[in-house]
Amino acid sequence: SVNPDLASERQTASFSVEKLTVLLDGGTEQTRIRRAVVEAIESDPVFSRENQYFQTQNERYEAAVRKAVHLQKKMHEMGWTENGPEYKYIYRALSGDVAFLLHQVFMRSISVLGSDKQIAKWIPLATQHKLIGSYAQTELGHGTYLQGLETTAVFDTATQEFILNTPKISAMKWWPGDMGRSATHTVVFAQLYIHGKCYGIHPFIVQIRSLQDHSLCPGITAGDIGPKMNFEHIDNGYLLLKNVRIPRENMLSKFCEVRPDGTYVMQGSQKINYFTMTTVRISLISDEVLTPLMKACTIAVRYSAVRRQSKLKPGEQEAKILDYQTQQEKLLPQLAAAYAFHFTNGYLQELFNRGYREIQRKNFDMLPELHALSSGFKAVITQHCTAGVEICLRACGGHGYSLLSGLPSLYTKILASCIYEGENTILLLQTARFLIKCFMAANTGQPVPPSVTYLAAVKHRKCPAKNKLDFLSPDIYTEAYQHVAVRLTSSTAAKLQDLIQSGVKKHDAWNQCTVQLVQAAKAHCHYIAVKNFAETVEKLETKAGIQKIMKHLCDLFALHGIFSNTGAFLHDGYISAAQMDMVTASYLDLLAVIRKDAVPLVDAFDFTDKSLNSALGSYDGQVYQRLYEWAQKSPTNQMSPAYEKYLKPLLHNTLSKL
Amino acid sequence: SVNPDLASERQTASFSVEKLTVLLDGGTEQTRIRRAVVEAIESDPVFSRENQYFQTQNERYEAAVRKAVHLQKKMHEMGWTENGPEYKYIYRALSGDVAFLLHQVFMRSISVLGSDKQIAKWIPLATQHKLIGSYAQTELGHGTYLQGLETTAVFDTATQEFILNTPKISAMKWWPGDMGRSATHTVVFAQLYIHGKCYGIHPFIVQIRSLQDHSLCPGITAGDIGPKMNFEHIDNGYLLLKNVRIPRENMLSKFCEVRPDGTYVMQGSQKINYFTMTTVRISLISDEVLTPLMKACTIAVRYSAVRRQSKLKPGEQEAKILDYQTQQEKLLPQLAAAYAFHFTNGYLQELFNRGYREIQRKNFDMLPELHALSSGFKAVITQHCTAGVEICLRACGGHGYSLLSGLPSLYTKILASCIYEGENTILLLQTARFLIKCFMAANTGQPVPPSVTYLAAVKHRKCPAKNKLDFLSPDIYTEAYQHVAVRLTSSTAAKLQDLIQSGVKKHDAWNQCTVQLVQAAKAHCHYIAVKNFAETVEKLETKAGIQKIMKHLCDLFALHGIFSNTGAFLHDGYISAAQMDMVTASYLDLLAVIRKDAVPLVDAFDFTDKSLNSALGSYDGQVYQRLYEWAQKSPTNQMSPAYEKYLKPLLHNTLSKL
C-alpha cells in the first residue's frame, strides 16, 4: 500500500510521467529495452544487492566477482551481446556493482594501442576470459602528470626482452582496479629506455599472476591498497616490479615499435588516442554522475513528501517538509540540474559522434574544442552533481545519514568522480587554456570553433529585463550567462597579458591567474548548459504538459545559477540590484510551482525499488516500516559482543583492580 | 627521518610554533596538561586506534566499550577526576572513540531534571556503573519538533505507575546512542496522560535490560539501528515499549510532579533547561567540529608540501602542489577558518560563562541572545567546517579518498554535526527570528542586546577603500560585513511586512521569506566572527611574529568571505566593481604570503601522529612508505576469496554451462 501522503502527490501531476520517461530514454523502444534488462537482472537472485550495506570489503569484492562471472552466463542466456541495444543498460541495472570493469579497459587499450598481430593474439584470450586483465598507469607518486611516471622498461637487445622495474617507492603502481586480487595480466605504462636513452611513456602487457594457481609471478609484488571511501567491491591494487622480463612483442606497438636491434620507430598518428581520452570523460557522465544524482533526488523528494515535521499553520497537522521553502530550495535546484545535465549529456554525445566521423575522415580540426568541452563539462557536472547528492543527503536529516537510506553510498561513490579521469581543477584549467587562446584569436579576427564564437560577439551592455516575468525568458537569462562568460574570460586574459608585459615570467603569470581562469571555464560551461537546455525545451512537443514542466525546470536551473552567484552578474552592472531582486522573486516563485510536480518529476526517472536500494526512497513511501525491518537484519543485532568480557564485569562490579 | 620537502617548510617559519600552540591552548600550563594526557592515553595500547580503518561495525563497537571500561581504570590510576583540569583533554586524546557518552547525558539529565531524592538515588548508581544509562528522545518520525513526540506515558492511579507505550511505528525511539546493545536504563521522553488529559512531554527513567544477564526487560523491544555513515563504534538503538510499567517515582520531577491522586503540579522555572540546550550546542564546537577541521588541514597541508605534480617552471623539478595558486585557494582559507572559529569559540564560551553567572542570580535577560548566538554559530561553524574538511579531502586527490588518509572518516563524522543537536536550517531560522525581532525593536528605539545594537546604527553608505591595501584594514572589512548583515536583515524584514500587509497570513509570509532569513542569519554570524577575530588579533602580543601571522589569517578569513560571496557586497553598491577587483587582488596576494607559513601553521595545532591516524599527514611526511605499509595490513591482502569458486573455473574454462 502506498503511503497516502505520497499517493496524493501523484494525483495532481501536471504532465504524463510515462511520456517524460520515454523522452529521457530517447524513445519508447529504448524504454522497453531498458525495462526488460532491469527486469531480467533484478529477478535474478545472483545479482541481488540486498544486505549490501551490512557487508565487509571482502564480502563486497567476492559478490562483485560472482556477479561478473554470472553476467557472462546471463548475457549468453538472454542473447545480449556487447554490440546489442541492451548492453548499455546492463551496468546501470547492476548499479555498477560488478567486477572486471578494468578487464574491458585492458581490452580497449590493446584494441587501440596494439598492432594487428597483438590484437589477434590477445583479444580472443581476453574475450574468452583465459586471462583477466587490468590497466596499470597511476603510481603512488604520479597521477595526472603522465610524463612524470617513474616505472622503467629497459630494452635488452641480447635477450630481445624488456626488463621492467619499480625504481623507487613512489613509482609503485597504485589504484588499478581488478589488480589487487583478481587480474592475471595488466598493461603497465613505463618509461622506455633503449641503449640508455629514454623514449618516454609506453604501454607493456605484463603477466602478474599464474594462470594455473593464481600465485604471483617471479619479480611481482602485488596486493590490495585497502579500504576506500567507497568501491569496496573493487580490488584496487598495487604492483611492484623487480627485474620482470617480458618479450619484445609485449610492447603495444600500433604507434611505435622497437626493432630487434633497438631501433625505435614511430608510425601513424596518436591523435586518435587523444580523442579516446576525451570520450571516456563524456561516457562516464551518464552512469557514474547523472544516475546517482537522479537516485538521490528520488530518495530525498519522496522522503520529503512523507516526512512531517513541525507546524506550518497553527492548529493544523504537522506539515510535509517538502512544503517548507527552505527544503524546496535545497532539493528542487538539484532536480533541475539533473534534467539540465541530462540534456547537456545528449548535446555532448552528439558532438562527439560528429567528431568521431570527422576523425575517421582524417579531419582532426574538432579535437581542441572537443577536448576543452569534455574536460570542462566532466569537471562542472561531477562537481555540481556531487554537491547535489550531498545536499539531498543532508536534507533528509538523521535518516539520510543512515546507510540504509542509500544516500551515503551514493555520495561517497560520486565524490570519486571529481578525482578520477582527470582531477577537476586541472581539467578546468585545460578548458581555460583553450578559452584564452580562442579569445585572443577571435579578437584578432581569426576563426574559432563554434562553441566559442560568442567570445567575439558584441552584445547588450545591460540586461534589458523590466520585471520579474522577463527573467522567465530564455533569451534574457542565456544572454546574462553569455555576458558573464565573456567578461570573466576577457578580464583574465587582460590580467595575464598585463602580468607578462610587466615582466612576470609566462608560467608564473599563468599560475597567478589560475583561480580566475577556473572561474572563467566554469562560466563557459554553465552558459552552454543553460543555452542547450533552453534550446532543447524549445524543440519539445507541447503535448501532455511535458514542454511546460521542462520550461519551468530550465528557468529554475538558470535562475538558481544566478541566485547562487549573484556577484558574477552584478559585478559590472549587467544585472542591476533592482533586477537581481526580480531574479530572486522569480526564482522563489518557481520553487512553489515546481514543488507541485516534484514527486512526478522523480517518478519519471523510473528507478525500481531494488535499484534505489533505499529505505527512504521506495515507490510506496513506507519509510518507517522499511527502516525498522532493515535494521533488524543488521549483523549488529545480536547480543552485545562486549557483554561477557566488559559489560558484565563492570555492572557486577567484578572488574579486576577497579 | 623527515621528508626534506617538509623539513624545508619548517626552517623558514616567520613565527614561533610553540608560542602559537600555547596561545591556542590558553597558556603554558594548559599545553603541559594536554600533552601529559595525550601521552598517557597514547602510550596505553588499550586505547590504540591502529587498524581502525580495517574494522567492522561490531569490532569498532567492542573496542569502544573496551576503551570506556578501561578509561575508568586509567582515570583512577592517573588521579584524573571529572572536575580536574585533565578531564577536557581526555575525549580529544581518544579522538572521541569511546562508548558510554550517553551515560554522561543520562546522568546530566537526572541532575538537571530530577528531584533531590531522585538525584540521591540514581547518580551514585550511575557513577559506580551499577547501571549503564542512555537518553531516548528522538523517534523514527520525530526529531527537532519535540511537541510532536508520540510515545505515551499514562498514569495509573490504582497501581501508582506510569504505563509506557509506543502507539505506532513512527513513535519508536530511534538513534539514542549506547542504547542498541549496551544500556540497561534510559530516560524516555513521552507524552504524559493523567485521567485522559495530555500534559505534554516529560522524562521517565525506564529500565530496558536485566542487570543480571542483560536480557531485554518485559515489554521492551530494542536493538541497533544498523550501519551509519560513521560512528560505527556507537550502538545507536531503537526502542519499542509495550505496556511497560514504571513506578510513579521514575518521572523526573524537579519541575513538575504527579501526585498520588493524579494531581499535576508545576514547580520552579524551566528556563535553566532552555539554557542547558544552548550550552550543548556551544560545547560541541571544539571537539566535534574544530578539531576535525584542524586535523584535515594538517593532513592536507603536509601532504601538499611533499606531493609533487607537474612542472610549474619549464626545466625544473616537478612542483610541490602547495605552490599552485589553485591548491592554496582550496586549503589556506580552511586554515584561516579553523583559527577564526577557534577564537569565535572562545568568545562564545566567555559569553556563556557570563550568562551562567547571571542566570544563577535569577537574571534571565541574556537568554534570547545566547539562544540566537548558539543556534546561529552551531549552524554556521558546523557547515563551514564540514565543507572545509571535504575541500581538504578533495585537495588530496586519489590518496585523500583512501580511508588510510584519515580524511574520509573525518568528513563522514563531522558531517553529522550539521544534523544533530538541531538541524542547521532550523537553527538559522531561530537566529533569524531573533534578528527580525531585534531589528524591529531597534528601529522603534527600544533597547536590544549588545550583539545586535549594530542593526540600528547608521554607517557609511559606501565602502571608503581606495586601493587594495585598504582591504587589509580590519575596519574596512568589518564594516562591510556589518553593512551586509544589516541590509539582509532589513530587506527581509521589509519583505515580511509587505507580505503581511498585502494580506498573506503571517505563517505563510514567514515561510516565503525563509530562504532570505537564512541568509540574514548567516551574515550576522559571519560579521561577528570577523569582528571578533580582528579584535582578538588587536590584543595579541606583538612578539615572536604571532600577531603578524594571525593578522594575515584574519585578513584572509575576511577577504575569502567577500571573494566567495561577492554579490552580497556588490548588491547595493556598498563595494563597487573596482573595489571588488581590489579585494580579489589582496586576497590572491595573501594566499602567496600565508603559503610560506602553511606548514608551521598546522604544526601549531600540535597533533600527534597517533591522533591524526593518517598515512598522509604524519609529522615526518613519509607518505608513500606509510601508505604501502598500512595497505599491506589490510584484511583484503590475502589470496582472493573468490578464486576457487569463481576465478579458477572461469580461467580454466570449467564453469558449468558456459
Side-chain angles (χ1 to χ4, degrees), chain A residues 390-647:
Chain A
E390 199 210 17
I391 290 168
C392 289
L393 187 155
R394 284 160 68 159
C396 293
H399 293 322
Y401 192 76
S402 165
L403 287 201
L404 307 181
S405 75
L407 292 164
S409 308
L410 289 171
Y411 174 74
T412 53
K413 195 169 183 191
I414 196 176
L415 177 66
S417 72
C418 297
I419 300 164
Y420 62 57
E421 299 298 343
E423 194 275 332
N424 281 355
T425 303
I426 293 167
L427 291 182
L428 287 166
L429 288 172
Q430 303 268 312
T431 307
R433 199 175 282 279
F434 169 80
L435 280 180
I436 295 291
K437 207 172 147 186
C438 292
F439 176 79
M440 301 297 200
N443 283 282
T444 52
Q446 295 165 54
V448 293
S451 64
V452 285
T453 48
Y454 77 93
L455 289 174
V458 179
K459 293 281 175 178
H460 295 291
R461 304 280 309 279
K462 301 276 175 194
C463 172
K466 299 222 169 0
N467 57 55
K468 71 175 181 178
L469 294 180
D470 286 345
F471 279 103
L472 303 180
S473 156
D475 287 347
I476 295 283
Y477 55 66
T478 304
E479 280 194 15
Y481 274 93
Q482 187 187 88
H483 178 83
V484 168
V486 174
R487 181 176 66 75
L488 290 173
T489 304
S490 64
S491 67
T492 313
K495 177 179 170 183
L496 196 58
Q497 281 197 311
D498 287 353
L499 283 169
I500 292 167
Q501 275 167 13
S502 74
V504 179
K505 284 191 185 139
K506 216 171 164 183
H507 50 264
D508 283 332
W510 178 263
N511 192 25
Q512 288 172 35
C513 292
T514 47
V515 167
Q516 288 149 306
L517 286 164
V518 165
Q519 290 182 329
K522 283 182 184 172
H524 170 66
C525 293
H526 212 150
Y527 157 59
I528 292 178
V530 167
K531 181 162 162 273
N532 177 67
F533 199 171
E535 287 169 358
T536 304
V537 169
E538 187 69 26
K539 283 180 237 153
L540 291 176
E541 59 171 331
T542 53
K543 277 181 293 183
I546 300 289
Q547 194 188 40
K548 195 172 166 203
I549 187 69
M550 287 299 108
K551 168 70 167 57
H552 288 321
L553 286 175
C554 180
D555 294 347
L556 186 71
F557 177 70
L559 297 190
H560 174 71
I562 302 177
F563 178 76
S564 314
N565 194 16
T566 55
F569 298 84
L570 288 166
H571 191 97
D572 61 353
Y574 181 83
I575 288 185
S576 69
Q579 286 173 323
M580 194 54 83
D581 292 340
M582 297 170 198
V583 168
T584 303
S586 265
Y587 169 63
L588 296 176
D589 288 350
L590 268 173
L591 293 176
V593 170
I594 296 171
R595 180 260 169 270
K596 293 180 198 148
D597 277 319
V599 169
L601 279 168
V602 299
D603 284 351
F605 295 142
D606 203 27
F607 291 114
T608 61
D609 284 358
K610 281 184 180 172
S611 77
L612 289 175
N613 206 11
S614 163
L616 304 190
S618 62
Y619 190 81
D620 65 10
Q622 297 295 357
V623 168
Y624 302 133
Q625 283 82 341
R626 207 162 267 110
L627 275 171
Y628 182 40
E629 281 163 26
W630 289 16
Q632 285 171 282
K633 291 193 269 177
S634 170
T636 50
N637 273 315
Q638 352 147 326
M639 177 76 178
S640 168
Y643 181 65
E644 287 297 332
K645 210 162 165 191
Y646 304 110
L647 296 180

Side-chain angles (χ1 to χ4, degrees), chain B residues 242-279:
Chain B
K242 192 168 178 191
N243 292 323
V244 173
R245 288 176 170 267
I246 58 169
R248 191 177 63 89
E249 293 73 24
N250 277 24
M251 183 176 107
L252 292 176
S253 55
K254 181 167 192 165
F255 301 112
C256 13
E257 196 188 347
V258 178
R259 299 258 165 87
D261 64 350
T263 312
Y264 179 83
V265 187
M266 291 263 302
Q267 48 205 3
S269 161
Q270 292 214 35
K271 282 192 177 166
I272 182 76
N273 251 334
Y274 181 56
F275 181 71
T276 308
M277 201 173 66
T278 65
T279 53

Side-chain angles (χ1 to χ4, degrees), chain B residues 94 109 134 137 191 230 246 274 277 330 354-355 413 517 554 585 597-598 632 646 652:
Chain B
L94 291 164
S109 60
S134 177
Q137 179 177 301
Q191 302 283 359
N230 196 307
I246 58 169
Y274 181 56
M277 201 173 66
K330 290 175 190 175
R354 189 144 35 93
K413 196 169 183 191
L517 286 164
C554 179
D597 277 320
Q632 286 172 282
Y646 304 111
H652 291 199

